[in-house]
Amino acid sequence: MRALLASSIGVACTAALALPFALPAGATAAHPQRAARPSPVPGSTQSLPLGPLGSSDRARAAVPQGAAAAGLVARDVNPFSLVGIVWDDATTVFHGRAQVRTKDAGTHKWSPWQDIQTHNDDVPDPGSPDRASGRARGSSAPLWVGDSVGVQVRALGEEAAGRSGHSGLPGGLRIELVDPGDDPEDEEPASEAPKGRNTLTPEESASSAVNAEFASMGATEITPLDKEETEAEASELTGSSGSAAARPYIGPRPGIVTRAGWGADEKLREREFLYTKTVKAAFVHHSATGNNYTCKQVPALLRSIYRFHVKSSGWRDFGYNFVVDKCGTIYEGRAGGVARPVMGAHTLGFNTDTMGIAVLGTYSKSNPPAAAVSGVAKLTAWKLGLFGANPRGKVTLVSGGSNKYKKGARVSMNVISGHRDGFVTECPGALLYGKLGSTRSSSAKLQGR
């Protein structure tokens, strides 16, 4: 597989240069083979500044005398489904607590106060292209709240949160209210596509073309293969290099919903794709977006996270390489090709030569569904197999700098690790982290080891 990816290796490649796979017959990146579905209504973001809390709000929040606090009084706003908090300096840590309550769009009832995870550890490396734009901001983890039309926020400094040592709040605090827009419609035959909407945009073409060996242009899903078919496909892709014979262990290719399938607005992301040299390890995360979602809502949830990562946090694209939902469905995350060594923004200090998989939900106190754990095993068996990695093995990674390992440190890790293995964090949640041992075994078994 390394030979397959040789032409895509580099720190940054433009979409036009990152296409080593052949396109389907009769197709080009600018003139795809099949018609695109009509574009859905795009999403939007409301960004509201947090200000000083009034005396009554401070009393309700039980804020200690003189402690730092900021917030937003209860108000009606335009519809949204996901919230997050951002601040000016991407290097500043939010030492404290943030909570939100929201008004349901249907019942108009207010929810209880919910915590927003302020220590967002799933972030780009310092000095990486995701931070080089100058647009990156500090940000919380996003929280899915469902269809809502009202919001109230309180942000409390460390002393107000019951701890000491850091009582201040980051500068420029804002609440981001994200509307995911409409879900993609069912794809229409070319003869029925509305006039003027019968081709993919250049950005959609580029995002789809890097998966052209696995699905036709504009496809919403990469269909699964059995193990024999997967091995034959890998052999064809590596050509005469002998790579497949040298690394015969690969799991069946799982079904993967593409970015087109969940309705990614390809104009939001940066044009260039980022690649590293290989994929040595997989880091498993939980998204910390809460468990209050249905599998039918996942496309909207992904569009919301995507918009929060790019428009609110200032990253170049979706942070995770892949996402697995509670039903075990696997989704393509960051653009650049599902089989390629795409550099993500997920594990501070260890984004090089790794991939990040986020299980949608919060699993600190809730058990991850068996289907989700199985989805991680299936995905890692295939993707790690393409690069000759043993899911039960160990690998040495070089830290780019984190709160656990200094920059340049050589660290031995499991090929399938949890985020907390590279960073001092609760991620991927204690209960999901506890499933990683069985995940490694299942993944290796799928590879035929």
Side-chain angles (χ1 to χ4, degrees):
M1 189 63 189
R2 194 167 296 168
L4 161 69
L5 300 164
S7 63
S8 68
I9 290 172
V11 175
C13 301
T14 64
L17 294 177
L19 307 176
F21 299 132
L23 295 174
T28 67
H31 299 90
Q33 184 184 33
R34 65 193 299 176
R37 63 186 180 280
S39 292
V41 174
S44 61
T45 302
Q46 302 168 75
S47 183
L48 305 174
L50 303 188
L53 288 174
S55 57
S56 60
D57 290 316
R58 291 178 68 91
R60 283 195 293 268
V63 179
Q65 184 73 23
L72 188 72
V73 297
R75 66 180 63 187
D76 290 338
V77 293
N78 292 329
F80 67 97
S81 297
L82 178 139
V83 303
I85 289 178
V86 299
W87 51 95
D88 292 340
D89 188 352
T91 64
T92 297
V93 177
F94 188 137
H95 293 286
R97 185 179 189 183
Q99 294 181 305
V100 63
R101 68 187 191 110
T102 54
K103 182 191 286 189
D104 185 273
T107 66
H108 282 236
K109 292 182 178 180
W110 286 90
S111 72
W113 286 101
Q114 299 183 76
D115 285 312
I116 298 175
Q117 180 179 297
T118 57
H119 298 160
N120 186 18
D121 311 319
D122 304 349
V123 296
D125 289 339
S128 69
D130 278 87
R131 293 204 178 179
S133 67
R135 294 185 296 104
R137 294 194 281 182
S139 60
S140 71
L143 176 68
W144 178 257
V145 294
D147 294 341
S148 303
V149 291
V151 66
Q152 184 176 8
V153 187
R154 59 190 184 194
L156 314 176
E158 193 85 336
E159 291 177 1
R163 295 176 292 275
S164 61
H166 297 277
S167 60
L169 291 170
L173 284 174
R174 305 184 72 86
I175 183 76
E176 303 285 290
L177 310 176
V178 182
D179 172 25
D182 292 346
D183 283 326
E185 299 178 13
D186 292 333
E187 194 160 341
E188 299 183 29
S191 60
E192 299 177 15
K195 186 176 181 181
R197 298 298 304 166
N198 61 345
T199 60
L200 301 175
T201 66
E203 295 84 1
E204 290 168 342
S205 294
S207 183
S208 185
V210 286
N211 292 321
E213 282 289 25
F214 309 109
S216 56
M217 292 290 288
T220 58
E221 181 182 5
I222 295 170
T223 56
L225 298 179
D226 62 27
K227 195 171 191 306
E228 183 178 357
E229 292 170 329
T230 302
E231 291 171 348
E233 177 185 70
S235 178
E236 290 177 4
L237 293 175
T238 53
S240 59
S241 67
S243 298
R247 295 189 289 275
Y249 299 107
I250 182 171
R253 188 183 80 194
I256 301 173
V257 178
T258 66
R259 288 168 63 92
W262 54 265
D265 180 353
E266 298 295 352
K267 292 184 179 180
L268 288 183
R269 63 171 173 82
E270 291 290 330
R271 181 178 178 183
E272 295 180 345
F273 302 139
L274 298 179
Y275 298 100
T276 57
K277 293 182 178 180
T278 186
V279 178
K280 296 180 178 179
F283 282 99
V284 178
H285 305 254
H286 66 175
S287 63
T289 47
N291 302 320
N292 188 28
Y293 73 91
T294 67
C295 293
K296 185 177 180 181
Q297 292 174 320
V298 170
L301 179 48
L302 294 182
R303 293 195 304 277
S304 298
I305 296 173
Y306 174 42
R307 176 170 281 274
F308 183 76
H309 282 176
V310 176
K311 303 296 287 186
S312 301
S313 302
W315 302 354
R316 60 183 297 111
D317 193 358
F318 198 93
Y320 307 109
N321 298 103
F322 296 94
V323 174
V324 181
D325 70 15
K326 63 174 68 174
C327 293
T329 303
I330 300 168
Y331 296 84
E332 177 185 19
R334 177 162 288 210
V338 296
R340 304 187 185 201
V342 178
M343 184 174 184
H346 48 84
T347 305
L348 182 65
F350 294 98
N351 286 309
T352 298
D353 295 342
T354 69
M355 67 174 179
I357 303 168
V359 179
L360 279 183
T362 305
Y363 299 106
S364 301
K365 298 179 181 179
S366 299
N367 277 312
V373 177
S374 176
V376 174
K378 292 175 183 177
L379 174 59
T380 53
W382 175 69
K383 183 65 181 277
L384 292 173
L386 292 175
F387 293 87
N390 181 350
R392 277 198 292 246
K394 295 278 190 177
V395 64
T396 298
L397 301 175
V398 179
S399 173
S402 74
N403 65 357
K404 190 170 185 176
Y405 298 105
K406 65 180 181 180
K407 185 175 182 179
R410 296 176 61 83
V411 185
S412 177
M413 291 191 182
N414 291 307
V415 167
I416 298 179
S417 287
H419 186 187
R420 62 175 61 185
D421 294 320
F423 196 94
V424 178
T425 175
E426 292 185 3
C427 185
L431 297 182
L432 177 55
Y433 187 77
K435 298 290 185 182
L436 294 188
S438 60
T439 300
R440 296 179 192 111
S441 297
S442 298
S443 181
K445 185 175 181 180
L446 287 168
Q447 283 190 348
R449 295 182 187 270

